[in-house]
Amino acid sequence: MRAADALVVGAGLAGLAAAERLAAAGRRVVIVEARDRTGGRIHTVERPGPDPPVELGAEFVHGHSAELLELIRAADLTLEDVPERHQPGPGVAGWPHPDPRALLARLLRRPSEALPDRPVAELLRELPGELGRSGDLEAVAGYLQGFHAADLALLGTRALAENEAAEDAEGDEPHRLREGYGALVRWLVDRLDPGLVEIRLRTVVRAVRWREGEVRLEVRPPDGATSDIVAPRAILTLPLPMLRRPPDDPGAVPVDPAPAGWPAALAALHRGAAERIVLRFDERWWMSGPGANPGFVHGTSEPFPVWWTSLPSLAPVLTGWTGGPRAAALAGHGMETVLRAALESLASVFARDAAGLRSLLRSADRHDWTADPFSGGAYSYGGVGAIEARAALARPVAGTLFLAGEAVAERGRNGTVHGALASGREAAARLLGQE
Ligand SMILES: Cc1cc2nc3c(=O)[nH]c(=O)nc-3n(C[C@H](O)[C@H](O)[C@H](O)COP(=O)(O)OP(=O)(O)OC[C@H]3O[C@@H](n4cnc5c(N)ncnc54)[C@H](O)[C@@H]3O)c2cc1C
């Protein structure tokens, strides 16, 4: 391939979507990716046999984002409805669980002057009276930590209100791709014209040096010898931690010179921690007794407080989920520690015996996204000032540097696959508009 017109850092959904748009406009693109695979935080493991593929990263298609649904249709993939049957585990007291999103709507839907931008923890501390019943505050806090992977001392009220508004507009009902999210990534990669787009895997970007009209990526390719890749423009889809780490941190990707406003804007966005563990059993032991055939089963204070089945598939598979501080506490631990925590949680939620459940277990899968050097967390959430910060980060820098990825996705779509897709496409459109 001749010299590139643009570089794209990262072959997750944002990077692939950006490259696809640039190539469609006839630009030559080099995608530089640290891992030995494409997809980033979409990581689907396919095993022989009838079970659905195992998702280690993104699993659900949330709501009905037109862009993502159009892509799924074009790729001819099968979108399955996931039955939203939520119930407490047989071992859990204190149900009915209040609907946390309805409670949040009462807190957040107020004129913006009456919703000062501040940490959600402060709002919850001051407003328990508005959340009438006992247990309501815990329900809201549990939802925010679990779903948004957030530390409530950092999550900003206006960023959260924007997330909730986006879900109201685009829906929050979950769907799943029968073929797995990885099939969508494969389809996107296969569509890239090899005459225009080159993907360099196992190539770690160590630093980004730029001046107007030139970006120089310092890279370490598989042979270990450091070299530079140069092009007039670049779209960076690096996850937040790589951009936020101090330049002397080994996992940092310093941008030199730091574009005006970036350090302050990046400080208003936060990395969230989430852990999923996928357990395959000999049989669907949860199918007997009261509450059989559940969709989502909730506990309370367990390390993994939420479990779901793989419905509509009847595979004997349960996925455990935890987010926020509970997930952060598991990061860096080995599989056996996490599996023990998961089985004890499952036993507590379903009123079973952990050793008995272990004897029915056939396989367990998880990925430590927080310890992963190329993600440094699961997905982002906005702190105080996040809305202005994302708008600032979306602005092209001297027509040369462009930022994309779920963390900078605007209109409340951060932390999602459809947000990453939209942000990659928007960055590509901005780049083409600046040539
Ligand atoms: C456990 C988990 C569950 C999730 N569940 C859902 C869900 O159900 N639904 C949903 O919509 N979203 C979900 N998400 C979020 C979704 O996966 C992300 O928002 C989206 O995939 C992010 O895409 P991206 O392109 O912005 O980032 P990434 O996919 O992270 O892509 C960035 C790429 O940059 C590469 N990179 C990093 N550092 C370097 C470097 N120094 N040099 C070169 N390359 C580098 C990375 O390897 C990566 O491939 C989940 C995420 C996780 C972790």
Side-chain angles (χ1 to χ4, degrees):
M1 199 173 83
R2 286 170 298 144
D5 298 308
L7 306 172
V8 172
V9 179
L13 211 77
L16 294 173
E20 191 262 335
R21 284 292 148 109
L22 295 176
R27 305 299 180 273
R28 294 171 307 253
V29 183
V30 173
I31 307 179
V32 185
E33 167 56 52
R35 301 179 198 271
D36 60 1
R37 60 173 183 84
T38 53
R41 280 170 278 170
I42 293 178
H43 188 12
T44 307
V45 179
E46 287 168 32
R47 302 241 162 82
D51 287 357
V54 174
E55 299 288 12
L56 296 177
E59 171 175 358
F60 297 112
V61 174
H62 291 294
H64 34 80
S65 144
E67 276 179 301
L68 182 55
L69 293 187
E70 180 204 299
L71 209 61
I72 290 168
R73 262 193 302 275
D76 202 17
L77 298 174
T78 321
L79 196 63
E80 295 184 328
D81 290 342
V82 174
E84 276 240 67
R85 287 203 292 273
H86 290 263
Q87 59 191 63
V92 177
W95 204 260
H97 204 302
D99 175 356
R101 292 207 56 225
L103 296 172
L104 263 181
R106 296 215 319 257
L107 294 182
L108 296 172
R109 269 199 214 115
R110 54 187 71 214
S112 59
E113 63 280 7
L115 183 65
D117 202 6
R118 58 194 174 132
V120 166
E122 281 180 22
L123 180 77
L124 294 183
R125 256 199 308 278
E126 283 173 24
L127 294 172
E130 298 200 23
L131 290 174
R133 298 179 314 173
S134 80
D136 285 4
L137 259 182
E138 290 74 9
V140 170
Y143 162 74
L144 293 175
Q145 290 170 343
F147 189 75
H148 290 277
D151 179 341
L152 305 191
L154 296 175
L155 179 64
T157 47
R158 287 196 183 155
L160 175 62
E162 201 185 43
N163 291 140
E164 293 295 307
E167 281 183 46
D168 288 345
E170 295 192 308
D172 65 346
E173 60 285 2
H175 313 272
R176 218 186 257 118
L177 291 176
R178 185 184 297 160
E179 300 84 354
Y181 254 131
L184 189 65
V185 171
R186 240 186 348 260
W187 181 80
L188 260 176
V189 170
D190 288 349
R191 242 164 57 123
L192 296 174
D193 176 351
L196 289 174
V197 183
E198 181 191 347
I199 305 181
R200 295 197 195 166
L201 298 177
R202 290 181 291 133
T203 304
V204 181
V205 174
R206 310 296 297 269
V208 179
R209 300 198 178 83
W210 68 280
R211 57 191 160 92
E212 190 166 347
E214 183 188 278
V215 183
R216 194 169 278 276
L217 302 180
E218 182 189 313
V219 298
R220 189 165 41 80
D223 67 11
T226 302
S227 60
D228 282 0
I229 309 179
V230 188
R233 294 179 179 77
I235 296 177
L236 312 182
T237 74
L238 290 161
L240 198 51
M242 277 93 250
L243 293 167
R244 276 180 48 143
R245 285 177 180 146
D248 53 350
D249 184 308
V253 183
V255 178
D256 181 20
W262 276 25
L266 288 167
L269 307 179
H270 301 289
R271 138 204 120 149
E275 270 277 346
R276 78 158 63 241
I277 188 162
V278 184
L279 304 183
R280 187 189 190 285
F281 294 93
D282 275 337
E283 60 191 56
R284 291 192 297 153
W285 49 262
W286 52 90
M287 288 300 288
S288 59
N293 203 14
F296 294 80
V297 184
H298 295 260
T300 49
S301 53
E302 294 81 5
F304 283 89
V306 184
W307 291 85
W308 57 80
T309 60
S310 48
L311 286 175
S313 155
L314 301 181
V317 173
L318 286 178
T319 298
W321 180 266
T322 184
R326 275 182 250 188
L330 291 169
H333 289 283
M335 182 56 156
E336 182 47 35
T337 305
V338 176
L339 178 59
R340 201 176 319 120
L343 287 172
E344 280 165 11
S345 301
L346 193 57
S348 155
V349 172
F350 282 84
R352 301 279 294 225
D353 161 57
L357 292 179
R358 191 183 275 261
S359 71
L360 295 173
L361 187 66
R362 282 298 148 258
S363 66
D365 291 283
R366 57 115 29 177
H367 182 84
D368 189 343
W369 293 101
T370 303
D372 182 327
F374 304 121
S375 62
Y379 44 88
S380 71
Y381 59 94
V384 172
I387 294 174
E388 298 77 12
R390 290 198 184 102
L393 292 167
R395 267 177 233 130
V397 179
T400 303
L401 271 187
F402 304 80
L403 211 51
E406 62 81 14
V408 296
E410 296 187 87
R411 303 182 296 286
R413 297 156 136 208
N414 57 287
T416 64
V417 169
H418 55 277
L421 171 69
S423 117
R425 287 179 167 180
E426 285 165 17
R430 286 187 195 111
L431 186 153
L432 294 168
Q434 298 270 318
E435 285 177 335

